[in-house]
Amino acid sequence: MFRENSHDSIAFGLNYNIFYFIFIMLWLLFLPDSASAHKVTIFAWVDGDTVFTQSKFSGGKRVKNAPVLVYDSKDVLLLDGKTDKKGMFSFKIPQKTSLKIVLKASMAHMAVWKIPVEALGGTEPENAAKTDGPQNALKPPSGSMDIETHEQVSGSSTVALGKREIEEIIDASLDKKLAPITEILADSIHRGPGITEIMGGIGYILGLVGVALYFANRKRKS
Amino acid sequence: MHISEGILSPAVLIGGAALTAAGVAVGMKNLDQKEIPTMGILSAAFFVSTLIHVPAGPVSVHLILNGLVGLILGWKAFPAILVGLALQALLFQFGGMTTLGVNTLNMALPAVVCHYIFGNALKPGTGRTVIISSAFGAGFCSVLMSGIMVGFSLYLTGEAFLPAAKLMVAAHLPVMFIEGILTAACVLFLRKVRPEILEGDHVS
């Protein structure tokens, strides 16, 4: 209690030191491109019949040589592989179920990305068309006697083929057009914490200190 | 250092949470009002320090600063680090809410141990060399022990202990030296401008 006054007199000095400390911290923070290994992310997208994945540490550093495991909806391991130097890993769609892609980076870091069936569904109609194709192709021999029907059938099969082709063309051009957007999406997902989160956290802690002091003060008064 | 969600087994998670709860209880017992601001400042420093990365070859690791927190706060490092880690999990998605207990234990227990090993040097009247070497030791050893504890957590879940711990320690070697230097600098700075912070814990 007798030191209360000396506390008051250096209170300003203390405040200065706190701000000094926080400023040094923030300065250190923005000096390097703040990449750090406490969080990894994996982002996966479907392009045609291939699933591409991109893995990064928070801050943008690529995860090299890390195992990637692909599970189906029932947690059965379908395939696994390793990321390359750019943190990329791609594989052909093994089956049309929702996929769970797990990245296991070193030092107890793990990230999960799920691909729903709908995302893979883009290839499903194509497959349906493919299975339709042979059926149509099988028809002509049965009706090969009748030239007219044969022509009709072959005509319808070209229409079916046309549909499939159109779908393929649309898929290809969509993939091409969406590629930059997927990249932007991948980058935005890998972005580290910003100034809002940092300031929010510091503010939160200061608020907690305030609450704690309030209750401590009330206890002392009563 | 932050263990992600979904890696550890439930038994390890629950055990870590229970031990952390005990540590927090010890830390919050007989909490002096004067120490609350110090805890807050150190908690904020811990919260921010995780964003400062240290490039270390293939992986990049970050500062932890649990040595400084432990050296000054002792058992009160548990609540301070818990708050910092909870906010890191919520705002930065580092670690996770389920691994909060284990992560707190892995970082706060070495801090407390360092407090008991090196804390005596903070008493008034110790020489400059002793203070510098003790603070460096606290910063260095706390990171070292945290690395070993993370390796041990992985071991309890079924991974081989030695490779996991070796990797953690090897990757954090640069951080240990930087933390040691930083802790020594902070302690010297605090002793010059505000010695009460360093002495506070030994009084109560």
Side-chain angles (χ1 to χ4, degrees), chain A residues 63-106:
Chain A
V63 184
K64 296 167 195 165
N65 270 329
V68 176
L69 310 167
V70 180
Y71 298 92
D72 68 1
S73 48
K74 285 165 195 154
D75 275 347
V76 179
L77 184 68
L78 296 175
L79 58 100
D80 60 341
K82 279 196 167 182
T83 56
D84 63 8
K85 276 181 184 171
K86 286 178 177 173
M88 303 288 288
F89 171 65
S90 59
F91 55 91
K92 294 254 183 256
I93 295 170
Q95 52 173 280
K96 299 248 165 353
T97 57
S98 53
L99 298 174
K100 194 172 97 177
I101 302 166
V102 177
L103 168 74
K104 285 208 167 155
S106 60

Side-chain angles (χ1 to χ4, degrees), chain A residues 44-157:
Chain A
W45 66 95
V46 184
D47 190 349
D49 60 345
T50 312
V51 178
F52 291 91
T53 71
Q54 189 188 44
S55 307
K56 280 184 182 174
F57 288 114
S58 65
K61 205 169 179 197
R62 309 295 174 108
V63 184
K64 296 167 195 165
N65 270 329
V68 176
L69 310 167
V70 180
Y71 298 92
D72 68 1
S73 48
K74 285 165 195 154
D75 275 347
V76 179
L77 184 68
L78 296 175
L79 58 100
D80 60 341
K82 279 196 167 182
T83 56
D84 63 8
K85 276 181 184 171
K86 286 178 177 173
M88 303 288 288
F89 171 65
S90 59
F91 55 91
K92 294 254 183 256
I93 295 170
Q95 52 173 280
K96 299 248 165 353
T97 57
S98 53
L99 298 174
K100 194 172 97 177
I101 302 166
V102 177
L103 168 74
K104 285 208 167 155
S106 60
M107 299 194 293
H109 295 307
M110 194 179 104
V112 178
W113 185 270
K114 281 180 182 159
I115 298 181
V117 195
E118 293 80 45
L120 303 173
T123 55
E124 258 172 355
E126 191 184 310
N127 252 38
K130 265 179 196 160
T131 49
D132 275 350
Q135 274 170 9
N136 283 349
L138 282 173
K139 267 179 192 170
S142 64
S144 58
M145 295 304 218
D146 197 329
I147 297 162
E148 244 185 56
T149 50
H150 178 71
E151 269 175 7
Q152 251 182 343
V153 167
S154 67
S156 73
S157 81

Side-chain angles (χ1 to χ4, degrees), chain B residues 106-123:
Chain B
N106 286 346
M107 294 191 210
L109 193 63
V112 176
V113 171
C114 281
H115 175 81
Y116 282 106
I117 299 174
F118 301 105
N120 277 335
L122 296 185
K123 282 178 182 161

Side-chain angles (χ1 to χ4, degrees), chain B residues 94-137:
Chain B
F94 298 162
M97 291 322 270
T98 55
T99 54
L100 192 58
V102 176
N103 280 336
T104 307
L105 184 71
N106 286 346
M107 294 191 210
L109 193 63
V112 176
V113 171
C114 281
H115 175 81
Y116 282 106
I117 299 174
F118 301 105
N120 277 335
L122 296 185
K123 282 178 182 161
T126 36
R128 201 179 151 86
T129 332
V130 178
I131 286 185
I132 292 175
S133 51
S134 296
F136 181 88

